[in-house]
Amino acid sequence: MRLVTISDIEAAAATFGDAVLHTPLLPWRDGRLWLKPECLQPIGAFKIRGAYNALSLVPADVRARGVVAYSSGNHAQAVAYVAKLFGVPATIVVPDNTPQVKIDATRSHGAVVKLVPMAQRESAAEAIAAAEGLTLIPPFDHRDVIAGQGTIGLEIVADMPDVEVVVVPISGGGLISGIGTAVKALRPSVRVIGVEPELASETSIGFRSKTLVHWSADDRARTVADALRGQPSELTFAHILSVVDDVVTVSEEEMLDTVGLLARRSRLVAEPGGAAAVAAYLNRGLPEGKTVAVVSGGNIDPALLARVLAG
Amino acid sequence: MRLVTISDIEAAAATFGDAVLHTPLLPWRDGRLWLKPECLQPIGAFKIRGAYNALSLVPADVRARGVVAYSSGNHAQAVAYVAKLFGVPATIVVPDNTPQVKIDATRSHGAVVKLVPMAQRESAAEAIAAAEGLTLIPPFDHRDVIAGQGTIGLEIVADMPDVEVVVVPISGGGLISGIGTAVKALRPSVRVIGVEPELASETSIGFRSKTLVHWSADDRARTVADALRGQPSELTFAHILSVVDDVVTVSEEEMLDTVGLLARRSRLVAEPGGAAAVAAYLNRGLPEGKTVAVVSGGNIDPALLARVLAG
């Protein structure tokens, strides 16, 4: 299996122009942690990076027929947004338990949204792609998507050359596959730590046995972190075994408490999965050293954020 | 009266090192507005810029005796935070109607906090400075503070050379004095627009008559935007007449609605005064063209933000 390389990631960064924000590193008050706030991207999550790179690498005449994606939410918005930038139509297949805020945001970018049961989203998207001649942009199981997410690792090393630990949420694993590949290529001694919700922790178990572990979609749907309900593919799991040093888990309460802390102390709106890496830093014994935690997304239901803040 | 120059502002920028964040420009969804999110600074507001520059220009042996400041909140946190960076003691005089979140944050930086009635804050700070041999760092009525705030203007022009309109909240006027000076020096054709709450709009009235207008502290305290309850000094008003094209007002509801929009659409926590410039862009007929609105601070009471989001 060919893994993504640092060259793939550098090529992805070169395509972005103004479409993707080079997010700053925000110091946490302890002087040891910095946040990489991907929630500030135009669609509120890092997914814009992989979607942009994937669409940019589809031949223009094929891309013009349109693209289709399936997603628990943030990838949906990313493909819809990027398709609009490229001027091509987008169809997004979304599980029917997706928060309304994410469905509305996807439609606001001009995409056609189709709701299906969680377990059918991938097959439904493949059927639409085949029937209508559209290009499928997978949420993580694709080298071009992984390379796009890896640009976060380039930015971290460029902005903090002496970084020692990088903490990244894991769902399908595309984000940590890309970041880990970039960081390990440029700074082999950096420790790359993955974070999962306890209620969707198949990767932390699989990581220890070096075997891909599957949990049912229903089991993974228990976590409030709707962005972290995916599970790795063979491609992303191979990257994880290659570039990740450890995978830890956080509780539902730890993620929600961290959502509140990020709003109060860092003035960032994060969704529960977006807060998972910071939650791990605050609650687990991670390796010592200058640490960057990726705040991967901020598309939280406003009513949930209100409840967290009202405490 | 000697006004601040672009050289003063460039000198301020050169002192910052890693202490001040170069905030990114975040695109709003309409393709015509960008946010300058100063709420992401370490203390949650732009005030760190002026405080840092002012302290850096105090001779080291004088600075070592300590500094004192009076403030409705964000300047208090800024001086406390910057004093800690310089390793000198700080005493902060705070009006007794300041939100608890700002008092707690100021104490968390190691400062001694003294609560006094709103009308006595300036005289109390001057008395402490005289009695204890401390250096007073005013919140806005000081060239070094204005020059520090002006670095925001440098960053806006560097990151968006073709900017056409810059929108800035006005309280004591230090922020718009500095930004306007920088922007007009580098791009004379840019329109600089000030924004005040209707309930503390003495500057918009004074701007039309070219005369400094005073409202009572009690009148200005009516607005929910506690960061915008100040009023210009002769020094800042002279800058405003020199570098500002217009001053507009926003209602309480417009600011609070915009706090909610910024959280939902831009994943930023803004305080009501911090949202005033965006509120003006959304609700007033500002000049056409590529616009940057400064989101000046994010130290909102979490319970108020919860109410806005649940609203």
Side-chain angles (χ1 to χ4, degrees):
Chain A
M1 184 183 310
R2 189 173 75 77
L3 301 190
V4 170
T5 67
I6 184 74
S7 302
D8 298 327
I9 298 170
E10 287 167 342
T15 67
F16 286 165
D18 285 341
V20 173
L21 184 69
H22 180 129
T23 48
L25 294 178
L26 306 180
W28 192 252
R29 58 175 56 187
D30 66 359
R32 218 195 87 189
L33 174 68
W34 283 258
L35 311 180
K36 180 73 170 165
E38 288 294 303
C39 54
L40 299 180
Q41 293 293 352
I43 56 123
F46 72 94
K47 292 276 188 180
I48 188 175
R49 296 173 183 262
Y52 194 93
N53 189 50
L55 262 80
S56 76
L57 293 171
V58 175
D61 58 328
V62 177
R63 189 170 61 213
R65 291 202 294 270
V67 296
V68 61
Y70 57 93
S71 164
S72 63
N74 285 329
H75 179 62
Q77 290 185 58
V79 171
Y81 180 86
V82 171
K84 191 172 62 174
L85 292 182
F86 279 99
V88 304
T91 301
I92 310 293
V93 178
V94 170
D96 51 17
N97 60 351
T98 299
Q100 190 62 38
V101 62
K102 294 190 178 185
I103 294 172
D104 293 345
T106 303
R107 287 206 174 109
S108 78
H109 298 306
V112 174
V113 175
K114 298 195 177 176
L115 293 168
V116 302
M118 177 78 172
Q120 296 172 22
R121 57 184 186 166
E122 187 167 347
S123 57
E126 285 168 352
I128 291 167
E132 303 183 20
L134 309 179
T135 301
L136 182 66
I137 308 290
F140 56 85
D141 189 28
H142 194 292
R143 266 180 289 270
D144 299 344
V145 173
I146 293 170
Q149 324 301 26
T151 57
I152 295 170
L154 297 184
E155 292 177 6
I156 290 171
V157 173
D159 292 343
M160 184 177 286
D162 58 347
V163 60
E164 297 172 272
V165 183
V166 176
V167 193
V168 185
I170 296 182
S171 178
L175 179 63
I176 200 167
S177 294
I179 292 176
T181 299
V183 167
K184 291 285 189 182
L186 299 170
R187 293 285 183 281
S189 67
V190 169
R191 308 275 286 175
V192 176
I193 310 295
V195 182
E196 283 186 314
E198 288 169 6
L199 295 181
S201 57
E202 73 297 328
T203 307
S204 75
I205 296 168
F207 183 78
R208 272 158 242 302
S209 64
K210 299 191 188 304
T211 316
L212 198 50
V213 169
H214 293 287
W215 284 17
S216 73
D218 282 350
D219 276 355
R220 289 180 273 124
R222 293 172 303 166
T223 177
V224 68
D226 54 283
L228 302 186
R229 291 172 182 160
Q231 63 183 4
S233 64
E234 291 191 10
L235 178 67
T236 55
F237 194 68
H239 285 83
I240 288 170
L241 290 182
S242 169
V243 298
V244 173
D245 294 286
D246 198 6
V247 180
V248 302
T249 64
V250 288
S251 71
E252 303 290 290
E253 187 179 5
E254 286 165 346
M255 286 188 287
L256 290 172
D257 286 351
T258 305
V259 166
L261 278 180
L262 287 168
R264 294 198 303 275
R265 294 194 187 168
S266 298
R267 297 90 195 175
L268 291 175
V269 174
E271 57 190 279
V278 178
Y281 173 87
L282 296 174
N283 294 287
R284 295 292 165 276
L286 300 188
E288 298 278 320
K290 286 182 80 168
T291 301
V292 172
V294 177
V295 180
S296 48
N299 292 315
I300 187 173
D301 188 316
L304 174 58
L305 179 57
R307 285 198 299 276
V308 167
L309 289 169
Chain B
M1 186 184 308
R2 188 172 76 75
L3 302 189
V4 169
T5 67
I6 185 74
S7 301
D8 298 328
I9 297 168
E10 288 167 342
T15 68
F16 287 165
D18 285 341
V20 173
L21 183 71
H22 181 130
T23 48
L25 294 178
L26 306 180
W28 192 251
R29 57 174 59 187
D30 67 359
R32 218 196 86 190
L33 175 68
W34 283 257
L35 311 179
K36 180 74 169 164
E38 289 293 305
C39 54
L40 299 180
Q41 293 292 351
I43 56 124
F46 72 94
K47 292 277 188 180
I48 188 175
R49 296 174 183 263
Y52 194 93
N53 190 48
L55 262 80
S56 76
L57 292 171
V58 175
D61 58 329
V62 177
R63 190 170 60 214
R65 290 201 295 269
V67 296
V68 60
Y70 57 91
S71 165
S72 63
N74 286 329
H75 179 62
Q77 290 186 58
V79 171
Y81 180 86
V82 171
K84 191 173 63 175
L85 292 182
F86 279 99
V88 304
T91 301
I92 310 292
V93 179
V94 169
D96 51 17
N97 60 351
T98 299
Q100 190 63 37
V101 61
K102 294 191 178 183
I103 294 172
D104 292 346
T106 303
R107 286 206 174 107
S108 78
H109 298 305
V112 173
V113 174
K114 299 196 177 177
L115 294 168
V116 302
M118 176 77 172
Q120 295 171 23
R121 59 184 184 165
E122 186 167 347
S123 58
E126 286 167 352
I128 291 167
E132 303 181 22
L134 309 179
T135 301
L136 182 66
I137 308 289
F140 56 86
D141 189 27
H142 194 293
R143 266 181 286 271
D144 299 344
V145 173
I146 294 170
Q149 324 302 26
T151 57
I152 295 169
L154 296 185
E155 292 177 7
I156 290 171
V157 173
D159 292 343
M160 184 176 286
D162 58 345
V163 60
E164 296 172 272
V165 184
V166 176
V167 193
V168 185
I170 296 181
S171 178
L175 178 63
I176 198 166
S177 294
I179 292 177
T181 298
V183 167
K184 291 286 190 181
L186 299 170
R187 293 288 183 280
S189 67
V190 169
R191 308 276 286 176
V192 177
I193 310 296
V195 183
E196 284 185 314
E198 287 169 6
L199 295 181
S201 58
E202 73 298 329
T203 308
S204 73
I205 294 168
F207 183 78
R208 273 158 240 303
S209 63
K210 300 191 186 305
T211 315
L212 199 50
V213 170
H214 293 287
W215 284 17
S216 74
D218 282 349
D219 276 356
R220 288 179 274 124
R222 293 172 303 166
T223 177
V224 68
D226 54 284
L228 302 186
R229 292 173 181 159
Q231 63 183 5
S233 65
E234 291 191 10
L235 178 67
T236 55
F237 194 68
H239 284 83
I240 288 170
L241 290 182
S242 170
V243 298
V244 174
D245 294 287
D246 199 5
V247 180
V248 302
T249 63
V250 288
S251 70
E252 303 291 290
E253 187 180 4
E254 287 165 346
M255 287 188 286
L256 290 172
D257 286 350
T258 305
V259 166
L261 278 181
L262 287 168
R264 294 197 303 275
R265 294 195 186 167
S266 298
R267 297 90 194 175
L268 291 175
V269 173
E271 56 189 280
V278 178
Y281 173 87
L282 295 175
N283 294 286
R284 295 292 165 275
L286 301 188
E288 298 278 320
K290 287 182 80 169
T291 300
V292 172
V294 177
V295 180
S296 48
N299 292 315
I300 188 172
D301 188 315
L304 174 58
L305 179 56
R307 285 199 299 277
V308 168
L309 289 169

